[in-house]
Amino acid sequence: MYSFGAFTILSQAIAATTSAAPTTTTARDASKTVTLTGVTHSVVAGLAGLQFDPDNVVAEIGDIVEWHFLPKNHSIAQSNFAEPCQPLADGTSFFAGFNFVTQQNQAPDVFQIVVKDKKPIWYYCPQQTGSLCQNGMVGVINQNFDNPAFSLSKHRDLAAKTTVSIIPPVQQGGQVIANPNPLGGF
Ligand SMILES: *[C@@H]1O[C@H](CO)[C@@H](O)[C@H](O)[C@H]1NC(C)=O
């Protein structure tokens, strides 16, 4: 994977800076608290093209997934496997908003979610300009590797067949925080 070594090092550096004492959080789902593990997985949007890198994260309950944004104007929104490029029908999707516009380097803020269970979490870049989701700018956390029918590549095939990306109506879920490593090697 492109520059995976650099990513891994940065990921560890971020994990080190965020590994405070385990605590509980009510992010994303107020009805469910989890104990944070102190592990942070960094994903970068827009590295070497219109994609997420890595686009496939394996995370434990209590891990944080943190998106960093490169040019120009990306975001993330949660979807499901079968209906790419649109938010969940029940209105619970996380959506980072379009807060990450940058002409060069990383955007000053990042978006984080806490992984609450081991179910697959599918997401897409809802930027309509350039049809980014249709062109494959999708990702997954905890894909079910035992069932190829629900693979990321199958999801990408479904995304390519959609006609337009839906921008969710409100920013919600997760949190936007200052980029903890704005000069990291992306
Ligand atoms: C970024 O993209 C969003 C969604 O297409 C748009 O509403 C917003 O105006 C864009 N921001 C800039 C600065 O271009």
Side-chain angles (χ1 to χ4, degrees):
M1 185 171 293
Y2 184 89
S3 116
F4 192 74
F7 161 75
T8 304
I9 291 163
L10 175 65
S11 174
Q12 285 164 357
I14 291 174
T17 62
T18 56
S19 60
T23 180
T24 54
T25 178
T26 54
R28 198 155 83 99
D29 179 355
S31 66
K32 189 170 178 187
T33 58
V34 301
T35 302
L36 294 180
T37 60
V39 173
T40 299
H41 305 265
S42 292
V43 175
V44 60
L47 182 66
L50 299 172
Q51 61 189 24
F52 296 102
D53 190 2
D55 54 11
N56 200 325
V57 167
V58 176
E60 298 303 324
I61 293 171
D63 288 1
I64 287 172
V65 179
E66 176 179 280
W67 285 268
H68 294 239
F69 298 90
L70 292 176
K72 294 178 180 175
N73 185 1
H74 297 296
S75 182
I76 58 156
Q78 186 181 7
S79 60
N80 65 24
F81 172 80
E83 296 162 314
C85 314
Q86 60 179 283
L88 301 175
D90 67 4
T92 62
S93 290
F94 58 74
F95 170 45
F98 281 100
N99 299 302
F100 311 97
V101 179
T102 179
Q103 294 307 317
Q104 57 180 0
N105 304 323
Q106 295 187 47
D109 291 334
V110 299
F111 183 72
Q112 292 187 334
I113 64 161
V114 176
V115 175
K116 296 292 184 81
D117 56 43
K118 292 289 278 184
K119 288 185 222 143
I121 298 170
W122 299 91
Y123 64 89
Y124 63 105
C125 176
Q127 180 56 263
Q128 295 166 335
T129 306
S131 302
L132 302 190
C133 183
Q134 288 71 31
N135 284 311
M137 197 163 182
V138 297
V140 64
I141 300 161
N142 291 335
Q143 174 185 327
N144 178 358
F145 289 101
D146 297 333
N147 192 340
F150 295 97
S151 69
L152 178 56
S153 65
K154 289 276 192 313
H155 181 70
R156 205 164 259 137
D157 291 346
L158 293 173
K161 290 181 187 139
T162 65
T163 50
V164 68
S165 298
I166 309 294
I167 297 176
V170 288
Q171 180 194 328
Q172 66 178 13
Q175 59 176 347
V176 177
I177 64 164
N179 191 334
N181 195 354
L183 301 178
F186 296 140

